[in-house]
Amino acid sequence: MSMLPESSGLLPYWLLVVVAFSVLNTVQCYNSAHFARRTFNGPRAEAEVTAFAGRLFGSWSFLSALVRFYAAYHINDKHLYFLALSTYLIVLTHFAGELLVFGTLKVGKGLAPPLFVATTSVVWMITQWSFYVD
């Protein structure tokens, strides 16, 4: 049995790369709120991005990583595919709210990497749905 996904295409491997970074992010968020503040660095972030909020963000990252991990190995399962896609849609909605409503995000280098990953993943997964899911 291969340690890598056996499905054709590159999306399963992309999901695994994102999983690896999500797990690293989880560890960072559990160690210090400093890492969460690099992303959440808007005008209201200092008061609202606490150690607890950092750990909560880390927990969300780990849960998302777990869903994406299973989707990478079962990419043809429409339910897991949809769940993985949903994790990216949820994070984009979350970032939009924090940026536009709550003021804990600002456009800049802290927001760029997760925004790039989430947007790329959503576009890729939507456009490739019929390739992976019947």
Side-chain angles (χ1 to χ4, degrees):
M1 181 175 153
S2 174
M3 301 252 326
L4 294 174
E6 296 178 5
S7 178
S8 60
L10 296 176
L11 182 59
Y13 301 105
W14 169 258
L15 291 174
L16 288 180
V17 169
V18 174
V19 164
F21 282 107
S22 295
V23 170
L24 289 174
N25 184 53
T26 297
V27 172
Q28 289 176 333
C29 286
Y30 268 84
N31 285 326
S32 170
H34 167 76
F35 297 104
R37 285 192 189 108
R38 287 193 315 197
T39 300
F40 295 91
N41 58 0
R44 297 188 58 202
E46 188 63 38
E48 295 194 24
V49 182
T50 63
F52 171 73
R55 291 188 304 273
L56 188 59
F57 186 65
S59 296
W60 159 255
S61 293
F62 188 73
L63 178 59
S64 295
L66 190 60
V67 170
R68 295 166 187 163
F69 179 81
Y70 276 99
Y73 284 94
H74 303 282
I75 198 75
N76 301 112
D77 182 317
K78 69 180 176 182
H79 303 293
L80 283 172
Y81 194 98
F82 178 75
L83 283 174
L85 174 59
S86 295
T87 65
Y88 294 113
L89 294 170
I90 290 168
V91 80
L92 285 174
T93 303
H94 171 67
F95 285 156
E98 295 300 325
L99 177 66
L100 302 172
V101 178
F102 302 110
T104 59
L105 277 175
K106 67 179 180 182
V107 176
K109 65 180 181 178
L111 179 59
L115 189 61
F116 171 79
V117 169
T119 304
T120 299
S121 299
V122 165
V123 170
W124 195 349
M125 292 187 80
I126 288 172
T127 60
Q128 294 301 303
W129 178 280
S130 62
F131 179 78
Y132 290 104
V133 178
D134 294 324

